[in-house]
């Protein structure tokens, strides 16, 4: 899934603006500066990347907060 976001927060706390985030089953495949609009993109104002350490590597998840403040993983 492709998401366009105005604010992308990295696990380090660094803020990137105007980014495109690509995910698959909740895991972040890539993110890059927004270059052009794609009809398959969904706009999300703010995305936070959360990392989870697995035995083989570190996996990033794209998350947003719902209305009750809980983290939701984007597909």
């Amino acid at each position: 899934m492709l998401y366009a976001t105005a604010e992308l927060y990295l696990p380090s706390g660094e803020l990137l603006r105007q980014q495109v985030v690509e995910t698959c089953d909740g895991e972040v495949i890539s993110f890059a500066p927004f270059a052009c609009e794609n009809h398959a993109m969904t706009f999300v104002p703010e995305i936070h990347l959360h990392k989870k350490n697995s035995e083989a590597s570190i996996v990033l998840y794209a998350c947003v907060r719902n209305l009750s403040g809980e983290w939701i993983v984007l597909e």
Side-chain angles (χ1 to χ4, degrees):
M1 185 84 164
L2 289 174
Y3 297 94
T5 187
E7 297 180 341
L8 178 63
Y9 292 88
L10 303 181
S12 66
E14 182 181 358
L15 169 63
L16 301 178
R17 296 192 185 275
Q18 308 304 326
Q19 298 288 306
V20 175
V21 180
E22 181 180 9
T23 64
C24 181
D25 296 327
E27 294 183 15
V28 174
I29 304 300
S30 66
F31 60 90
F34 182 86
C36 63
E37 189 172 357
N38 179 320
H39 73 280
M41 286 181 186
T42 299
F43 178 74
V44 178
E46 183 178 296
I47 296 175
H48 294 255
L49 298 186
H50 292 256
K51 67 180 178 179
K52 181 178 179 182
N53 295 331
S54 69
E55 292 181 17
S57 62
I58 295 174
V59 179
L60 290 176
Y61 293 92
C63 302
V64 296
R65 285 197 188 264
N66 66 12
L67 295 175
S68 62
E70 299 169 324
W71 289 110
I72 304 295
V73 176
L74 298 173
E75 293 183 28

